Amino acid sequence: MKSSLCYILCATAVYAETPQRAYNAENFGGGYCGVGVSVGVKTTTADINSEFRNRSNSMSSAFYGGSANVGYQHRICGNCFVGIEMGVDLGSASKAKVGGVLKSDSYYIQSTYAKRELLRQILLESSYAFDTRRGADSALLRVVDSGVWNSFVSVLRYIGGANIDVSNPHLRQFITSPAHAGGIFNPPNANATLRNFMGRAMDRITEAGRLEISSINADQNLYRGLAIMREFVTTRYPLYAQALSHIADQDLSLYNTNGTQAGSRYGGGTDLNGETSFSMLCFFRNAWIYINLNHIGINPATLNEDELEAVMNTIYVPTAADDAALAVPAGVDVRTVQHNIQTKTSFGVCPYVAMKLGYYFREIRGCLFAKLGLIHLNGHVIPVNSAYGIQEEKFHKIAPFVAVELMKNINEKWGWAVEISHAFRTKKKMKDVHLFGMKVENSTSISRTNVRLMAMYRF
């Protein structure tokens, strides 16, 4: 009877221990692999984001993706383990709203204001060039040489978006040659150049081109600067660009007599007289009391005069509303800028390697590991988005990370693990931005914290 009772108790004890073998410390050693999901929070800090009102340049957003790993753990003493693990985090993406209201001192806005001011300088200097100091005097018959006039109109049309090849030999000499000491009139100077019309503005145009392409060739910088102004005018002031591209489509009108000056149209071959040059003076000074579209050779059916005058006023005497309009990228609805501007980061395949140190806790029948490793963050980053022309760039950065993992077994082959990890901030040097005569050293840094839930298989 006594021996039978002992047998039953021993059998009961063995039976009670059997289901728990999967949880014992010795069952956490050896090789393993796992697959699972990863969710977390990514923090992107972008220098350019500080350009926006009431926004931190550091933003956090959620991301998601998959994860896979393989590793080996070894029991060194008692309940202590060491191990090594390699794995990959698979494509995850995130985005965070920035808000599109830029600060008034933003480099973006200041660069746009600078282009508008340069456009105004081009027009005002051109008006001074046409000023004979005699007004609309028909007796001053020959003022501007026809060849110089046609070259100048070619440049105006190019800035207005017309298909003009400004690099052809004739125009190249007109555009790049120094100013002629004789000016453009009295008598008409066939050797006058573009610098006779807008000399000081030409230096600023050249500098604008140099900041963008950093060429040691001044002529290349000048051409690039003209292209920048062409892009600005055609995108910001399309109606005004249309006017520039149609100047002198027909002969210019006379003031003191009815009719037009024959041959004063673009390519007409006749020197401008005092009346027609006065019309150009008034146009460039935005003096609409003295001019209409016929005066500068534009068919009134081509453009609406009142609309054109309103656009020109926004260039010459801009209001606060005009300034605010320049803060919005060309062609973008203001509501899109206010509510939908986002910074975006996308991650591709990000491999990692880590050393791990663990301890088996009988109370929870699981092993708790601390990890220290390196992860190779691969992906793309857009600091704001394409509405503001901030370029998307790839990043390939190695960042240290730490993690805490809880691993539990279901049976002798299968188990699960949950892990929280943090990849420390790594910095990405973006392409420098040249705005408003200054170089902005733009950079972005990324850090992320994520949780992995893994199904584990022991082998």
Side-chain angles (χ1 to χ4, degrees):
M1 179 68 179
K2 186 175 181 180
S3 62
S4 298
L5 180 59
C6 182
Y7 174 80
I8 291 171
L9 291 175
C10 290
T12 302
V14 170
Y15 176 80
E17 285 184 347
T18 299
Q20 298 181 20
R21 288 183 57 82
Y23 303 107
N24 292 340
E26 61 267 19
N27 292 312
F28 284 89
Y32 63 89
C33 61
V35 293
V37 295
S38 175
V39 296
V41 175
K42 174 268 309 176
T43 300
T44 299
T45 300
D47 293 349
I48 202 73
N49 287 343
S50 60
E51 303 273 291
F52 292 83
R53 294 183 199 167
N54 305 320
R55 290 285 179 176
S56 169
N57 64 343
S58 180
M59 291 152 295
S60 298
S61 58
F63 69 89
Y64 57 89
S67 189
N69 61 23
V70 60
Y72 178 81
Q73 298 164 175
H74 180 70
R75 184 178 181 182
I76 53 175
C77 64
N79 293 335
C80 296
F81 291 83
V82 295
I84 186 170
E85 181 177 291
M86 296 180 293
V88 291
D89 284 340
L90 306 174
S92 54
S94 64
K95 56 188 177 181
K97 185 173 292 186
V98 178
V101 182
L102 287 165
K103 298 176 183 176
S104 60
D105 60 350
S106 158
Y107 288 115
Y108 181 92
I109 291 183
Q110 291 300 322
S111 69
T112 306
Y113 290 170
K115 291 174 186 175
R116 181 182 63 189
E117 196 277 329
L118 178 53
L119 174 62
R120 185 164 57 240
Q121 182 179 352
I122 289 172
L123 303 177
L124 289 176
E125 287 194 32
S126 296
S127 75
Y128 301 147
F130 280 102
D131 191 356
T132 65
R133 302 287 191 269
R134 300 185 63 176
D137 186 351
S138 60
L140 190 60
L141 295 180
R142 300 180 66 241
V143 179
V144 182
D145 178 84
S146 62
V148 171
W149 164 244
N150 289 329
S151 295
F152 180 66
V153 173
S154 294
V155 174
L156 294 181
R157 291 188 170 214
Y158 170 78
I159 294 175
N163 188 23
I164 302 291
D165 179 13
V166 293
S167 65
N168 72 69
H170 173 71
L171 281 179
R172 183 169 65 245
Q173 182 177 1
F174 174 74
I175 291 172
T176 62
S177 297
H180 193 278
I184 66 170
F185 54 78
N186 282 343
N189 180 9
N191 295 315
T193 70
L194 188 57
R195 288 188 179 273
N196 288 107
F197 290 89
M198 52 180 80
R200 290 172 297 175
M202 295 284 283
D203 294 333
R204 292 187 60 189
I205 293 171
T206 302
E207 178 64 10
R210 186 193 68 80
L211 289 173
E212 182 163 310
I213 64 176
S214 301
S215 172
I216 61 174
N217 186 309
D219 291 349
Q220 290 182 5
N221 294 332
L222 173 58
Y223 283 125
R224 182 55 198 151
L226 287 172
I228 290 172
M229 295 308 301
R230 170 190 173 99
E231 180 182 13
F232 174 71
V233 172
T234 55
T235 56
R236 288 294 185 175
Y237 304 108
L239 192 68
Y240 189 61
Q242 189 177 2
L244 291 179
S245 64
H246 286 284
I247 287 178
D249 275 350
Q250 56 194 26
D251 287 335
L252 278 62
S253 296
L254 298 172
Y255 271 90
N256 297 332
T257 59
N258 293 327
T260 59
Q261 182 191 357
S264 60
R265 67 190 181 278
Y266 180 52
T270 299
D271 298 342
L272 296 191
N273 65 22
E275 289 189 75
T276 49
S277 66
F278 181 73
S279 294
M280 294 306 302
L281 159 66
C282 294
F283 173 72
F284 286 128
R285 287 190 183 171
N286 197 33
W288 281 85
I289 190 173
Y290 297 113
I291 61 171
N292 57 43
L293 292 180
N294 276 323
H295 288 160
I296 57 176
I298 299 177
N299 187 335
T302 304
L303 295 169
N304 182 290
E305 285 189 2
D306 292 336
E307 291 179 357
L308 179 59
E309 181 181 4
V311 171
M312 291 178 67
N313 285 337
T314 67
I315 299 172
Y316 283 86
V317 284
T319 64
D322 297 329
D323 290 345
L326 283 185
V328 180
V332 177
D333 185 271
V334 66
R335 291 168 297 181
T336 298
V337 173
Q338 289 173 337
H339 304 297
N340 297 326
I341 301 299
Q342 296 173 331
T343 184
K344 300 178 181 179
T345 305
S346 61
F347 296 103
V349 177
C350 299
Y352 69 87
V353 60
M355 300 296 297
K356 52 194 301 189
L357 179 66
Y359 187 83
Y360 173 73
F361 290 89
R362 295 183 183 276
E363 295 80 3
I364 61 174
R365 291 189 290 188
C367 207
L368 195 63
F369 288 93
K371 295 181 180 179
L372 177 63
L374 298 172
I375 185 168
H376 192 189
L377 297 176
N378 299 299
H380 294 77
V381 60
I382 307 176
V384 178
N385 82 359
S386 57
Y388 282 101
I390 307 300
Q391 69 280 355
E392 177 179 358
E393 290 195 27
K394 295 180 180 180
F395 62 86
H396 304 281
K397 303 294 289 186
I398 295 177
F401 77 92
V402 295
V404 177
E405 176 188 48
L406 173 62
M407 183 181 291
K408 297 193 72 172
N409 290 336
I410 299 173
N411 55 43
E412 292 189 359
K413 287 294 185 182
W414 292 94
W416 58 267
V418 60
E419 173 187 316
I420 181 169
S421 68
H422 177 72
F424 293 98
R425 189 175 303 278
T426 181
K427 195 170 186 178
K428 162 69 177 178
K429 181 69 172 64
M430 308 291 282
K431 180 180 178 182
D432 289 340
V433 181
H434 295 278
L435 296 173
F436 202 44
M438 301 176 65
K439 182 174 76 170
V440 182
E441 293 185 352
N442 189 27
S443 61
T444 297
S445 59
I446 301 166
S447 64
R448 67 181 201 174
T449 301
N450 63 303
V451 176
R452 296 185 182 96
L453 182 60
M454 309 290 291
M456 311 298 295
Y457 178 78
R458 288 166 35 81
F459 52 83

Short mmCIF file of all heavy atoms in Angstrom, two decimals, residues 346-373:
data_model
loop_
_atom_site.label_atom_id
_atom_site.label_comp_id
_atom_site.label_asym_id
_atom_site.label_seq_id
_atom_site.Cartn_x
_atom_site.Cartn_y
_atom_site.Cartn_z
N SER A 346 10.53 56.92 -46.35
CA SER A 346 10.21 55.53 -46.65
C SER A 346 11.46 54.68 -46.44
O SER A 346 12.56 55.08 -46.82
CB SER A 346 9.71 55.37 -48.09
OG SER A 346 10.69 55.76 -49.02
N PHE A 347 11.28 53.54 -45.81
CA PHE A 347 12.38 52.63 -45.55
C PHE A 347 12.29 51.43 -46.48
O PHE A 347 11.21 50.89 -46.71
CB PHE A 347 12.35 52.14 -44.10
CG PHE A 347 12.55 53.22 -43.09
CD1 PHE A 347 11.48 53.74 -42.37
CD2 PHE A 347 13.81 53.74 -42.84
CE1 PHE A 347 11.66 54.74 -41.44
CE2 PHE A 347 14.00 54.74 -41.91
CZ PHE A 347 12.92 55.24 -41.22
N GLY A 348 13.42 50.99 -46.99
CA GLY A 348 13.48 49.79 -47.80
C GLY A 348 13.92 48.62 -46.93
O GLY A 348 13.50 48.48 -45.78
N VAL A 349 14.77 47.77 -47.46
CA VAL A 349 15.32 46.64 -46.71
C VAL A 349 16.44 47.16 -45.81
O VAL A 349 17.43 47.69 -46.30
CB VAL A 349 15.83 45.55 -47.66
CG1 VAL A 349 16.46 44.41 -46.86
CG2 VAL A 349 14.69 45.02 -48.52
N CYS A 350 16.24 47.02 -44.50
CA CYS A 350 17.20 47.54 -43.53
C CYS A 350 17.79 46.38 -42.73
O CYS A 350 17.16 45.89 -41.77
CB CYS A 350 16.53 48.53 -42.58
SG CYS A 350 15.84 49.98 -43.41
N PRO A 351 18.97 45.89 -43.09
CA PRO A 351 19.57 44.77 -42.33
C PRO A 351 20.17 45.25 -41.01
O PRO A 351 20.55 46.41 -40.87
CB PRO A 351 20.66 44.28 -43.28
CG PRO A 351 21.02 45.47 -44.10
CD PRO A 351 19.77 46.29 -44.25
N TYR A 352 20.23 44.34 -40.06
CA TYR A 352 20.83 44.68 -38.78
C TYR A 352 21.56 43.48 -38.21
O TYR A 352 21.33 42.33 -38.59
CB TYR A 352 19.78 45.18 -37.79
CG TYR A 352 18.82 44.13 -37.31
CD1 TYR A 352 19.12 43.32 -36.20
CD2 TYR A 352 17.60 43.93 -37.93
CE1 TYR A 352 18.25 42.35 -35.74
CE2 TYR A 352 16.71 42.97 -37.49
CZ TYR A 352 17.03 42.17 -36.39
OH TYR A 352 16.17 41.21 -35.96
N VAL A 353 22.46 43.73 -37.27
CA VAL A 353 23.16 42.69 -36.53
C VAL A 353 23.25 43.16 -35.08
O VAL A 353 23.40 44.36 -34.82
CB VAL A 353 24.57 42.42 -37.12
CG1 VAL A 353 25.43 43.67 -37.06
CG2 VAL A 353 25.24 41.26 -36.40
N ALA A 354 23.10 42.20 -34.15
CA ALA A 354 23.08 42.58 -32.75
C ALA A 354 23.66 41.49 -31.88
O ALA A 354 23.54 40.29 -32.18
CB ALA A 354 21.65 42.90 -32.31
N MET A 355 24.31 41.89 -30.81
CA MET A 355 24.69 40.99 -29.73
C MET A 355 23.59 41.06 -28.68
O MET A 355 22.97 42.10 -28.47
CB MET A 355 26.03 41.41 -29.13
CG MET A 355 27.19 41.42 -30.11
SD MET A 355 27.56 39.78 -30.76
CE MET A 355 28.05 38.92 -29.25
N LYS A 356 23.37 39.92 -28.00
CA LYS A 356 22.30 39.91 -27.02
C LYS A 356 22.74 39.20 -25.74
O LYS A 356 23.54 38.25 -25.77
CB LYS A 356 21.04 39.27 -27.61
CG LYS A 356 21.24 37.91 -28.24
CD LYS A 356 20.04 37.48 -29.10
CE LYS A 356 18.75 37.43 -28.32
NZ LYS A 356 17.66 36.82 -29.13
N LEU A 357 22.20 39.66 -24.65
CA LEU A 357 22.48 39.09 -23.34
C LEU A 357 21.13 38.89 -22.65
O LEU A 357 20.31 39.83 -22.59
CB LEU A 357 23.35 40.04 -22.53
CG LEU A 357 23.71 39.60 -21.10
CD1 LEU A 357 24.59 38.34 -21.14
CD2 LEU A 357 24.44 40.73 -20.38
N GLY A 358 20.87 37.63 -22.16
CA GLY A 358 19.56 37.34 -21.60
C GLY A 358 19.59 36.61 -20.28
O GLY A 358 20.63 36.07 -19.85
N TYR A 359 18.42 36.58 -19.66
CA TYR A 359 18.27 35.88 -18.38
C TYR A 359 16.89 35.25 -18.37
O TYR A 359 15.88 35.88 -18.70
CB TYR A 359 18.42 36.84 -17.22
CG TYR A 359 18.45 36.15 -15.87
CD1 TYR A 359 19.63 35.61 -15.37
CD2 TYR A 359 17.28 36.04 -15.10
CE1 TYR A 359 19.65 34.95 -14.14
CE2 TYR A 359 17.29 35.40 -13.88
CZ TYR A 359 18.48 34.85 -13.40
OH TYR A 359 18.48 34.20 -12.18
N TYR A 360 16.85 33.98 -17.94
CA TYR A 360 15.59 33.26 -17.86
C TYR A 360 14.95 33.51 -16.49
O TYR A 360 15.58 33.31 -15.45
CB TYR A 360 15.82 31.76 -18.05
CG TYR A 360 14.57 30.93 -17.80
CD1 TYR A 360 13.53 30.93 -18.71
CD2 TYR A 360 14.45 30.17 -16.63
CE1 TYR A 360 12.39 30.19 -18.48
CE2 TYR A 360 13.31 29.42 -16.39
CZ TYR A 360 12.28 29.43 -17.32
OH TYR A 360 11.15 28.69 -17.09
N PHE A 361 13.69 34.00 -16.52
CA PHE A 361 12.95 34.24 -15.29
C PHE A 361 11.88 33.17 -15.13
O PHE A 361 10.95 33.07 -15.96
CB PHE A 361 12.29 35.63 -15.34
CG PHE A 361 13.26 36.77 -15.26
CD1 PHE A 361 13.83 37.30 -16.41
CD2 PHE A 361 13.63 37.32 -14.04
CE1 PHE A 361 14.73 38.36 -16.34
CE2 PHE A 361 14.52 38.38 -13.95
CZ PHE A 361 15.08 38.89 -15.11
N ARG A 362 12.00 32.40 -14.06
CA ARG A 362 11.04 31.33 -13.83
C ARG A 362 9.64 31.89 -13.58
O ARG A 362 8.64 31.25 -13.92
CB ARG A 362 11.48 30.49 -12.62
CG ARG A 362 12.80 29.74 -12.84
CD ARG A 362 13.13 28.87 -11.64
NE ARG A 362 14.42 28.21 -11.83
CZ ARG A 362 14.58 27.09 -12.51
NH1 ARG A 362 13.52 26.49 -13.07
NH2 ARG A 362 15.78 26.55 -12.64
N GLU A 363 9.57 33.10 -12.98
CA GLU A 363 8.26 33.66 -12.63
C GLU A 363 7.39 33.89 -13.87
O GLU A 363 6.17 33.73 -13.82
CB GLU A 363 8.43 34.98 -11.87
CG GLU A 363 9.11 34.86 -10.51
CD GLU A 363 10.62 34.75 -10.63
OE1 GLU A 363 11.13 34.84 -11.77
OE2 GLU A 363 11.28 34.58 -9.60
N ILE A 364 8.03 34.28 -14.95
CA ILE A 364 7.26 34.53 -16.18
C ILE A 364 7.47 33.43 -17.21
O ILE A 364 6.88 33.46 -18.29
CB ILE A 364 7.64 35.89 -16.81
CG1 ILE A 364 9.13 35.92 -17.18
CG2 ILE A 364 7.29 37.04 -15.89
CD1 ILE A 364 9.54 37.17 -17.94
N ARG A 365 8.32 32.45 -16.84
CA ARG A 365 8.64 31.31 -17.71
C ARG A 365 9.02 31.80 -19.12
O ARG A 365 8.56 31.30 -20.13
CB ARG A 365 7.47 30.34 -17.77
CG ARG A 365 7.27 29.63 -16.44
CD ARG A 365 6.27 28.53 -16.52
NE ARG A 365 4.91 29.02 -16.70
CZ ARG A 365 3.83 28.24 -16.64
NH1 ARG A 365 3.96 26.94 -16.42
NH2 ARG A 365 2.64 28.76 -16.81
N GLY A 366 9.87 32.82 -19.14
CA GLY A 366 10.35 33.37 -20.39
C GLY A 366 11.73 33.97 -20.21
O GLY A 366 12.21 34.16 -19.08
N CYS A 367 12.38 34.26 -21.31
CA CYS A 367 13.73 34.79 -21.29
C CYS A 367 13.70 36.25 -21.72
O CYS A 367 13.12 36.59 -22.76
CB CYS A 367 14.62 33.98 -22.22
SG CYS A 367 16.36 34.00 -21.74
N LEU A 368 14.31 37.12 -20.94
CA LEU A 368 14.37 38.54 -21.24
C LEU A 368 15.77 38.88 -21.73
O LEU A 368 16.76 38.57 -21.06
CB LEU A 368 14.05 39.34 -19.98
CG LEU A 368 13.72 40.82 -20.17
CD1 LEU A 368 12.46 41.00 -21.01
CD2 LEU A 368 13.56 41.51 -18.81
N PHE A 369 15.84 39.47 -22.93
CA PHE A 369 17.12 39.77 -23.56
C PHE A 369 17.30 41.28 -23.72
O PHE A 369 16.35 42.02 -24.01
CB PHE A 369 17.21 39.14 -24.95
CG PHE A 369 17.38 37.66 -24.95
CD1 PHE A 369 16.27 36.82 -25.03
CD2 PHE A 369 18.64 37.09 -24.85
CE1 PHE A 369 16.42 35.46 -25.04
CE2 PHE A 369 18.80 35.72 -24.86
CZ PHE A 369 17.68 34.89 -24.94
N ALA A 370 18.53 41.72 -23.56
CA ALA A 370 18.94 43.07 -23.95
C ALA A 370 19.81 42.95 -25.19
O ALA A 370 20.68 42.07 -25.27
CB ALA A 370 19.71 43.74 -22.82
N LYS A 371 19.58 43.85 -26.18
CA LYS A 371 20.31 43.79 -27.44
C LYS A 371 21.05 45.11 -27.68
O LYS A 371 20.54 46.19 -27.34
CB LYS A 371 19.38 43.54 -28.63
CG LYS A 371 18.69 42.20 -28.63
CD LYS A 371 17.82 42.08 -29.89
CE LYS A 371 17.09 40.76 -29.95
NZ LYS A 371 16.24 40.65 -31.16
N LEU A 372 22.19 44.99 -28.28
CA LEU A 372 22.95 46.15 -28.72
C LEU A 372 23.49 45.84 -30.11
O LEU A 372 24.14 44.81 -30.31
CB LEU A 372 24.10 46.45 -27.77
CG LEU A 372 25.03 47.61 -28.16
CD1 LEU A 372 24.27 48.92 -28.20
CD2 LEU A 372 26.21 47.71 -27.21
N GLY A 373 23.17 46.70 -31.10
CA GLY A 373 23.60 46.38 -32.45
C GLY A 373 23.64 47.58 -33.37
O GLY A 373 23.53 48.74 -32.94
#
